[in-house]
Amino acid sequence: MGAYLCIASNGIPPSISKRIEMKVQFPPMMTIPHQLEGAYVGQEVTLECHTEAHPKSINYWTNERGDMIISGEKFESVLVDSGYRSFMRLKIRNLTNNDFGTFKCVAKNSLGETDGNIKLYGPIAFYV
C-alpha cells in the first residue's frame, strides 16, 4: 500500500505524471511482543498487541472467561491507530491473584479476524 508516481515520456516534452494511491484490503494480522508476562500482587502491568488490517479493524480485549474487558478503575484499554497499523495496550492496575491468567487481544474486520493470547503469571512459591 502507498502512493505511486507514474511518469510517461516519449522524448517530446512535456512528460506527463500521475500520482496513484494504492490500497490493498486484507484481514487483520497480529503480533504480540511478549506472550508471557510476569508480575506480582499490587503491581501495575501493561499488556500489548500490534495489529495490521485494511479496512480498519475493531479491536478489543477479553479475559480468561471470554468476557470483553471495559476500561474503568481496574483496567485501561488504549488503542493507538497509525494508518493500517494499530497498537493495543491493556493496563491492569493493582494486580490481585484473581488477575493472573490468560488475556486475549482480538481484531476483526469485514475480511476476517485474528486473536492472540498473553499469559500473565505471578510469583511461584517453592516448597522444600
Side-chain angles (χ1 to χ4, degrees), residues 28-70:
M29 299 183 299
M30 182 175 293
T31 56
I32 302 172
H34 306 285
Q35 294 178 344
L36 190 60
E37 289 279 350
Y40 53 87
V41 171
Q43 183 180 356
E44 181 179 283
V45 67
T46 300
L47 309 179
E48 192 172 314
C49 290
H50 301 171
T51 64
E52 295 182 6
H54 187 75
K56 184 179 177 322
S57 58
I58 295 170
N59 301 318
Y60 59 92
W61 292 89
T62 64
N63 62 20
E64 202 159 67
R65 295 184 311 272
D67 300 328
M68 188 181 295
I69 296 173
I70 306 299

Side-chain angles (χ1 to χ4, degrees), residues 99-111:
D99 295 320
F100 297 117
T102 302
F103 290 84
K104 184 179 284 190
C105 44
V106 181
K108 297 181 179 184
N109 72 6
S110 59
L111 301 173

Side-chain angles (χ1 to χ4, degrees), residues 6-117:
C6 179
I7 301 171
S9 176
N10 63 1
I12 300 172
S15 296
I16 301 293
S17 65
K18 180 76 173 173
R19 184 178 184 269
I20 298 171
E21 184 75 27
M22 168 94 64
K23 294 189 178 186
V24 178
Q25 294 189 351
F26 60 98
M29 299 183 299
M30 182 175 293
T31 56
I32 302 172
H34 306 285
Q35 294 178 344
L36 190 60
E37 289 279 350
Y40 53 87
V41 171
Q43 183 180 356
E44 181 179 283
V45 67
T46 300
L47 309 179
E48 192 172 314
C49 290
H50 301 171
T51 64
E52 295 182 6
H54 187 75
K56 184 179 177 322
S57 58
I58 295 170
N59 301 318
Y60 59 92
W61 292 89
T62 64
N63 62 20
E64 202 159 67
R65 295 184 311 272
D67 300 328
M68 188 181 295
I69 296 173
I70 306 299
S71 287
E73 200 171 302
K74 179 73 172 176
F75 300 102
E76 181 184 350
S77 178
V78 176
L79 179 68
V80 178
D81 284 324
S82 177
Y84 62 91
R85 293 185 175 112
S86 295
F87 303 94
M88 301 171 63
R89 291 186 185 94
L90 179 66
K91 185 185 292 184
I92 308 168
R93 297 182 185 90
N94 193 22
L95 284 174
T96 66
N97 284 322
N98 292 335
D99 295 320
F100 297 117
T102 302
F103 290 84
K104 184 179 284 190
C105 44
V106 181
K108 297 181 179 184
N109 72 6
S110 59
L111 301 173
E113 71 178 83
T114 190
D115 60 49
N117 293 324

